[in-house]
Amino acid sequence: MRAESESDPAAAHERWAAGRDELIRTHPASPVPPERRAGFAGLRHVPYDPSLRFVLPVDTDVERQRLEVPTATDGVVPFELAGRLHLPFGDLDVWWLDSYGGGIFVPLKDTSAGRATYGGGRYLLDTVKGADLGGSVHDGLVVDLNFAYNPSCAYDPAWTCPLAPPGNTLGVEVAAGELIPPGHG
């Protein structure tokens, strides 16, 4: 989980952003190519906005849908539509990763994509990778848009990432989370 031990979401966000910055800069499996890591200037984030944090139930009354995403390394990664989150300014589909680790996956693309944020969208929840803040499908997921982060393909086109399908595209700007990676916009 992302900084769940912090009782203050803004402080948790600050700790998460610093940790993510360090991870992207130094981890051997970082999506930033090794030859660019030494000069990596760090990630850019929008300041924390508490009005963009919600605890939302997952509306599971959705028509069955399957999404199959071809990748360069994992073959085809299958997702099943598990439900929908109803935010005050639009809905986001909740996907179940129907392979190796399972888990909830919620990508996000808003009107800032390609301008202020990565053009393919960002990730909001990816529980198989520990990118969640808690909750459950039945009691409600902690959905904090401040923690939206760039997929690995935002840093290097050698990575293949599932991007936001139409049900994960909002018609508003979400001024939160990570911005376009340095040198990519």
Side-chain angles (χ1 to χ4, degrees):
M1 288 204 218
R2 292 182 266 178
E4 186 64 15
S5 62
E6 291 280 350
S7 60
D8 173 15
H13 180 263
E14 188 173 315
R15 189 170 132 232
W16 169 78
R20 184 151 161 79
D21 200 48
E22 179 70 15
L23 186 71
I24 294 291
R25 183 183 298 109
T26 64
H27 194 278
S30 170
V32 173
E35 66 275 6
R36 291 196 348 237
R37 289 182 196 156
F40 186 67
L43 302 171
R44 299 179 309 130
H45 293 85
V46 176
Y48 190 85
D49 179 350
S51 73
L52 295 174
R53 184 180 194 279
F54 310 94
V55 177
L56 300 170
V58 177
D59 177 357
T60 58
D61 187 20
V62 295
E63 190 173 318
R64 185 175 164 88
Q65 194 176 30
R66 187 168 178 89
L67 178 65
E68 294 188 348
V69 179
T71 69
T73 57
D74 295 326
V76 173
V77 177
F79 294 91
E80 297 284 339
L81 184 62
R84 192 160 286 124
L85 296 168
H86 301 293
L87 296 154
F89 40 79
D91 296 341
L92 292 174
D93 287 345
V94 176
W95 296 93
W96 176 257
L97 175 60
D98 197 26
S99 65
Y100 57 97
I104 297 292
F105 176 62
V106 181
L108 161 72
K109 185 174 182 179
D110 64 288
T111 61
S112 71
R115 188 175 38 80
T117 61
Y118 179 62
R122 297 171 286 167
Y123 293 171
L124 188 55
L125 300 174
D126 190 355
T127 62
V128 76
K129 295 180 181 172
D132 72 287
L133 295 169
S136 72
V137 170
H138 302 291
D139 298 327
L141 296 174
V142 177
V143 178
D144 193 331
L145 298 168
N146 294 285
F147 287 86
Y149 65 98
N150 294 315
S152 296
C153 54
Y155 302 96
D156 185 351
W159 290 77
T160 305
C161 305
L163 300 179
N168 291 84
T169 302
L170 297 174
V172 298
E173 182 171 340
V174 176
E178 284 183 8
L179 299 171
I180 291 175
H184 290 82

